[in-house]
Amino acid sequence: MSANDMAERHTQARSITIVRHGRTAYNAAHRIQGWVDIPLDEVGLWQVNQTGEALQNLYVQPDSGVKQLVVASDLSRAMQTAHAFADRIGVPVHTDERFRERNFGGWEGQSIDELAEFYPEDFQSWIRKEGGELRHGAETHHDCGVRGAEAIRDWSRKAGPDTDLFIFAHGSVIENMVQQLLGFDQVHADYLSLGTMGNAHWARIMPAFHNDEEDRWTIMEYNHGPAVADTPQWTNPVNVS
């Protein structure tokens, strides 16, 4: 079967762009967010406007016949980031709780310094990717990755081959679900293959056709951002309001 024949038969989205939310006050203070519903701060709102414009300019071609489907975690910081893009191009934002951040249990709301002080052994175990956070009710990397990857597959099939899928989520769930989707977890069980993306940065994944297999993907970009994200202005912008 030719590549063109396989492309015509596939039912996945034309492409998938996965975006991390902009900065929050918890990000700035190095606090664990998890499922705590924290909105973007002033800098975060500025960041997502830059990213929304960049995504539109890079990946939306008017009159091309390609549609856009936008899905976000139901937490407000992801929803705000999604709307900074979706409102520009006039499409709705759908929500899916499976794109929520990894649940960090009893550690949510605490700063990195506080964790290091009050739970030194478990904190160091977490830093070494050895699971110290699990003793405080955190969701496992595997479970987080599985729920996110399942959501990606579901929405990709709903989108179909004439649609670019845009997903707006959170740092840890993105790291875990991308690794799960690409099968990295089968090779690196310690989840050291990918790092956490920067605020308002994105990954881009394309379907990879191989015989009749549908669930094969190629990662084209990871931790990509607007040009300004590579400057000090990204975390200290002038005149953000």
Side-chain angles (χ1 to χ4, degrees):
M1 182 183 299
S2 70
N4 287 337
D5 289 338
M6 285 187 283
E8 289 176 0
R9 288 182 56 181
H10 93 279
T11 60
Q12 300 289 355
R14 179 174 176 267
S15 70
I16 303 175
T17 303
I18 307 172
V19 188
R20 186 187 177 197
H21 63 79
R23 198 183 84 171
T24 69
Y26 270 32
N27 288 144
H30 304 293
R31 291 190 177 276
I32 303 294
Q33 293 182 108
W35 286 17
V36 179
D37 197 4
I38 304 297
L40 301 179
D41 64 12
E42 191 176 40
V43 171
L45 290 169
W46 177 85
Q47 288 175 339
V48 301
N49 281 329
Q50 311 310 306
T51 292
E53 181 179 10
L55 293 173
Q56 180 184 17
N57 291 338
L58 287 169
Y59 306 125
V60 179
Q61 292 80 40
D63 304 321
S64 67
V66 177
K67 298 179 288 186
Q68 296 81 38
L69 176 62
V70 177
V71 189
S73 155
D74 63 331
L75 298 178
S76 60
R77 57 192 184 270
M79 290 291 292
Q80 288 175 292
T81 306
H83 277 287
F85 169 68
D87 293 355
R88 286 176 175 273
I89 62 173
V91 300
V93 176
H94 304 272
T95 59
D96 192 324
E97 292 183 2
R98 291 176 293 177
F99 290 129
R100 280 190 179 192
E101 178 60 298
R102 184 186 178 201
N103 190 323
F104 277 88
W107 277 9
E108 293 185 358
Q110 299 190 64
S111 71
I112 296 299
D113 289 342
E114 289 169 340
L115 296 178
E117 178 181 356
F118 298 126
Y119 317 102
E121 292 184 5
D122 291 343
F123 174 76
Q124 288 301 322
S125 174
W126 173 50
I127 295 299
R128 294 192 301 266
K129 305 284 188 179
E130 294 173 355
E133 74 277 16
L134 302 181
R135 288 190 280 273
H136 302 269
E139 183 179 17
T140 67
H141 287 291
H142 176 77
D143 289 350
C144 179
V146 166
R147 67 170 163 86
E150 287 178 347
I152 291 175
R153 294 185 183 100
D154 288 347
W155 284 102
S156 179
R157 286 188 290 267
K158 289 178 184 178
D162 63 346
T163 301
D164 290 325
L165 174 61
F166 293 84
I167 296 169
F168 292 80
H170 311 262
S172 291
V173 70
I174 291 172
E175 176 186 355
N176 290 316
M177 69 187 184
V178 168
Q179 292 187 133
Q180 180 71 221
L181 189 71
L182 298 179
F184 288 1
D185 63 304
Q186 299 173 23
V187 180
H188 299 283
D190 51 7
Y191 280 77
L192 294 178
S193 300
L194 294 174
T196 300
M197 293 198 301
N199 288 120
H201 282 55
W202 64 84
R204 192 160 170 83
I205 298 171
M206 308 292 286
F209 307 116
H210 181 73
N211 296 326
D212 289 328
E213 295 182 48
E214 284 264 304
D215 192 22
R216 291 176 67 93
W217 306 88
T218 299
I219 187 163
M220 308 301 293
E221 299 173 2
Y222 191 82
N223 202 30
H224 191 74
V228 68
D230 292 329
T231 74
Q233 188 180 358
W234 189 243
T235 54
N236 189 28
V238 178
N239 299 322
V240 296
S241 58

